[in-house]
Amino acid sequence: MTVELLCVGTELLLGNIVNTNAAYLAEGCAALGLSCYHQSVVGDNEERLEEAVKLALKRADIVILSGGLGPTKDDITKEVTARAFGRALHEDAHTKERISGYFRHMKTAGVTENNWKQALVPEGAIVVDNHNGTAPGLIIEGEEKTAILLPGPPNELKPMFEEAIAPYLNKLVPEGIYSRMIKLCGIGESKAETMIADLMERQTNPTIAPYAKTGEVHLRVTAKAKNEEEADRLLEPVTKELYRRFGDMIYTEDEKVSLEDVVAALLTDQKLTLTTAESCTGGKLAGRIVNVAGVSGVYSEGYITYSNDAKSRLLGVSSETLEKYGAVSVQTAKEMAEGAARAAVADAALSVTGIAGPDGGTKEKPVGLVYIGCYLKGHTRVEEFHFTGNREKNRDYAVVRALTLLREELLANRG
């Protein structure tokens, strides 16, 4: 079964907004076993949109459209798609009441008249409630073709796809698609792919698809099966083999669990507290950690020590160390981690110091050089890294490597 993606919005064509919806939907459809051969972006122009919708319906069994469902005059996706199916629009009482309830909950002065446009739905369409906005999703089923209309904002589109659209699409696929996401840290994509090259060469069902993430590698193991029991039977041997090859580099099989979730859980299980001392990452590491709900039980404070003065004043890094070895050095990273643990009275501490770029590098200390220190219960380990991305990427890689280093030390501490 084939699917085509059509993202609507002039702002996408102009580059004002990055089209993350296309990547998300493509990955979601692939995981469901749907084949996607075409993706398109079209602006808020009625004639061009109608042409794009008709072409997509000719080429694919299912067309998923995102954007253009709002209350303004240039939101025309629903009207154009309904016309392509020969359906009239009518007011849906349930949707109108839901929109009223949304604005009551938001405690606004009142609903402007143009918002009721969102309560108009094509005749016979399946209405999908939007729990994060006003515009509902819509499924228009024809004799041979189906169109699925989703709101454009990612915080509305993604929950709607996961909660309602993915289950709907899964029923259309003759065989169910079942998958496990094996998440790795502490290894690069090329090395990980080399380690499973033989499995990928002879794979049929299940299949393994590697995805490179910033500082991580995710392996999606997917099986086609009649039911979950059969899928588990197919997936289990492959999963076991991946554990045999990667061992502790695998940190979870749960797609919704992040590296920081796992680190926080290890700290909680071992009843340990953590602090952070950041230079080039400037708070990004602390930001990842506090993403975890309830992490305040193990993480209460951190330090951003960008200048040498801050490193000395807040963390106790000696002036002799900074003068002799520099801020970007093994010695400074070590003293930062130990000083942070001492200042915060914490069991564990992570420190990051480096040259993120684009300037500031030398032949001896090039851009991308980062030292990460990990203090844990009296022992300090410092690792040297050489990243090759831009400033933002180098900082993001440093954050992931720091979390990975702490996870390794916590696993070793657990015995």
Side-chain angles (χ1 to χ4, degrees), residues 156-230:
E156 299 178 27
L157 179 145
K158 290 181 179 181
M160 187 179 291
F161 184 86
E162 291 170 9
E163 294 165 11
I165 305 305
Y168 171 84
L169 291 172
N170 205 33
K171 292 178 182 177
L172 302 182
V173 181
E175 283 186 296
I177 302 297
Y178 302 86
S179 62
R180 295 179 185 176
M181 182 64 84
I182 310 298
K183 295 186 179 183
L184 312 175
C185 62
I187 188 171
E189 181 189 16
S190 57
K191 177 69 179 299
E193 192 164 337
T194 299
M195 289 175 66
I196 57 171
D198 59 317
L199 298 178
M200 295 179 67
E201 283 173 6
R202 62 174 186 260
Q203 66 185 4
T204 52
N205 184 30
T207 59
I208 306 173
Y211 298 88
K213 304 292 181 180
T214 301
E216 300 182 29
V217 179
H218 295 179
L219 305 174
R220 185 183 291 280
V221 186
T222 304
K224 290 184 178 181
K226 295 176 182 178
N227 52 53
E228 193 168 350
E229 184 180 351
E230 182 184 345

Side-chain angles (χ1 to χ4, degrees), residues 67-304:
L69 299 182
T72 62
K73 289 183 179 179
D74 62 350
D75 290 315
I76 54 175
T77 300
K78 174 176 55 185
E79 290 77 4
V80 169
T81 309
R83 190 161 61 241
F85 278 82
R87 307 285 179 88
L89 297 175
H90 70 90
E91 188 173 87
D92 181 62
H94 167 74
T95 300
K96 186 172 184 179
E97 176 54 36
R98 191 185 54 76
I99 292 171
S100 297
Y102 178 88
F103 281 98
R104 283 197 302 271
H105 178 73
M106 297 295 290
K107 296 183 179 178
T108 56
V111 185
T112 56
E113 192 62 32
N114 60 350
N115 275 287
W116 301 127
K117 175 177 180 282
Q118 297 170 105
L120 297 174
V121 305
E123 195 72 37
I126 300 170
V127 177
V128 182
D129 286 347
N130 184 347
H131 301 298
N132 299 281
T134 52
L138 297 165
I139 300 173
I140 307 173
E141 298 176 323
E143 290 184 8
E144 297 180 347
K145 307 287 183 173
T146 299
I148 298 173
L149 284 60
L150 300 173
N155 67 323
E156 299 178 27
L157 179 145
K158 290 181 179 181
M160 187 179 291
F161 184 86
E162 291 170 9
E163 294 165 11
I165 305 305
Y168 171 84
L169 291 172
N170 205 33
K171 292 178 182 177
L172 302 182
V173 181
E175 283 186 296
I177 302 297
Y178 302 86
S179 62
R180 295 179 185 176
M181 182 64 84
I182 310 298
K183 295 186 179 183
L184 312 175
C185 62
I187 188 171
E189 181 189 16
S190 57
K191 177 69 179 299
E193 192 164 337
T194 299
M195 289 175 66
I196 57 171
D198 59 317
L199 298 178
M200 295 179 67
E201 283 173 6
R202 62 174 186 260
Q203 66 185 4
T204 52
N205 184 30
T207 59
I208 306 173
Y211 298 88
K213 304 292 181 180
T214 301
E216 300 182 29
V217 179
H218 295 179
L219 305 174
R220 185 183 291 280
V221 186
T222 304
K224 290 184 178 181
K226 295 176 182 178
N227 52 53
E228 193 168 350
E229 184 180 351
E230 182 184 345
D232 285 339
R233 182 176 57 79
L234 292 167
L235 292 168
E236 194 59 30
V238 179
T239 304
K240 283 184 177 179
E241 181 61 20
L242 292 176
Y243 270 94
R244 189 186 71 80
R245 297 188 184 199
F246 294 107
D248 283 344
M249 285 184 281
I250 298 174
Y251 70 85
T252 187
E253 291 181 40
D254 190 331
E255 193 154 5
K256 294 181 180 180
V257 170
S258 66
L259 182 56
E260 55 266 32
D261 289 327
V262 171
V263 169
L266 286 169
L267 287 165
T268 301
D269 290 345
Q270 297 180 37
K271 296 181 172 58
L272 301 174
T273 55
L274 170 69
T275 187
T276 52
E278 302 180 65
S279 185
C280 64
T281 46
K284 277 200 163 191
L285 176 57
R288 280 285 293 268
I289 293 167
V290 299
N291 276 341
V292 181
V295 78
S296 60
V298 296
Y299 183 84
S300 61
E301 62 187 275
Y303 305 90
I304 300 174

